[in-house]
């Protein structure tokens, strides 16, 4: 166990995920990584990667799954509720307010430009987080091969994500088990 990590209270879980939900446009996973690993030190990079992997194979938004997993890790159901409540409160209020404004001003070219720019920034943040996480993957051939196979299957072949996960995730788990250190 990493002794430099901090165990958050329920209030800290709410406040931390509230800050992520408040500041994220176009995807908050990079911001969650920064908050959880780099700023507040609630998780190590390896723990974040595990929680993110779990969040990606479960149904629902990845960041909500991450909030549930992190909150429940520290305080059970009440921690999960605090983390998800903090994550969702600000975006809910903001999105409902913006939806009302968008209904009135959606035909303005300036608004379309703003939305296009925000989408580009969001995509850049996701790519940057992926590259940062890839730096910390184990340097094994099968890790790189499964990552590339997943990328090719989803990005180029445009296969359904659920089908790709159902095939590649068990394969990767089997390879990790087969190549683990100290295997009998």
């Amino acid at each position: 166990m990493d002794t430099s990590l901090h165990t958050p209270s329920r209030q800290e879980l709410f406040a931390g995920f509230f800050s992520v939900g408040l500041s994220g446009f176009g995807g908050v996973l990079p911001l969650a990584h920064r908050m959880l690993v780099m700023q507040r030190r609630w998780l190590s990079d390896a723990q974040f990667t595990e929680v993110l992997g779990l969040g990606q194979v479960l149904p629902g938004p990845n960041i909500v799954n991450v909030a549930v997993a992190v909150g429940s890790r520290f305080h059970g159901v009440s921690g999960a509720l605090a983390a998800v409540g903090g994550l969702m409160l600000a975006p809910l209020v903001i999105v409902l307010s913006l939806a009302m404004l968008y209904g009135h001003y959606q035909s303005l070219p300036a608004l379309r430009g703003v939305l296009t720019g925000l989408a580009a920034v969001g995509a850049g943040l996701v790519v940057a987080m992926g590259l940062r996480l890839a730096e910390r993957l184990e340097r094994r051939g099968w890790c790189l091969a499964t990552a590339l196979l997943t990328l090719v299957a989803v990005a180029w072949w445009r296969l359904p994500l659920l089908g790709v996960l159902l095939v590649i995730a068990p394969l990767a788990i089997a390879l990790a088990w087969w190549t683990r250190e100290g295997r009998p």
Side-chain angles (χ1 to χ4, degrees):
M1 179 167 183
D2 189 345
T3 57
S4 67
L5 297 178
H6 172 68
T7 300
S9 67
R10 289 173 188 82
Q11 292 80 13
E12 288 173 318
L13 282 169
F14 182 88
F17 279 98
F18 182 82
S19 71
V20 169
L22 187 60
S23 57
F25 283 83
V28 296
L29 282 172
L31 300 172
H33 176 264
R34 184 178 340 139
M35 186 273 291
L36 291 166
V37 176
M38 300 165 77
Q39 293 176 334
R40 300 189 186 217
R41 306 231 5 104
W42 294 347
L43 300 176
S44 67
D45 265 318
Q47 290 169 329
F48 181 81
T49 303
E50 291 170 6
V51 168
L52 179 59
L54 176 65
Q56 289 180 324
V57 298
L58 294 174
N62 294 340
I63 186 59
V64 174
N65 294 337
V66 166
V68 169
V70 171
S72 65
R73 166 180 271 193
F74 294 113
H75 296 288
V77 173
S78 63
L81 291 173
V84 171
L87 178 69
M88 300 305 293
L89 179 61
L92 181 65
V93 171
I94 292 170
V95 166
L96 290 176
S97 301
L98 290 176
M100 290 188 311
L101 291 174
Y102 182 75
H104 290 291
Y105 301 107
Q106 62 184 321
S107 61
L108 293 176
L111 180 59
R112 291 183 187 163
V114 167
L115 295 176
T116 300
L118 288 175
V121 170
L125 287 172
V126 170
V127 169
M129 185 193 70
L131 292 173
R132 188 175 297 144
L133 289 175
E135 288 176 359
R136 290 171 177 82
L137 280 178
E138 290 188 34
R139 299 290 182 239
R140 295 182 179 187
W142 70 264
C143 288
L144 180 60
T146 53
L148 288 175
L149 182 60
T150 303
L151 175 67
V152 168
V154 173
W156 279 288
W157 296 339
R158 303 208 181 268
L159 296 175
L161 180 60
L162 181 60
V164 171
L165 287 174
L166 289 175
V167 172
I168 295 179
L171 174 66
I173 292 168
L175 289 169
W177 182 81
W178 182 260
T179 60
R180 72 185 187 280
E181 293 180 20
R183 183 175 60 123

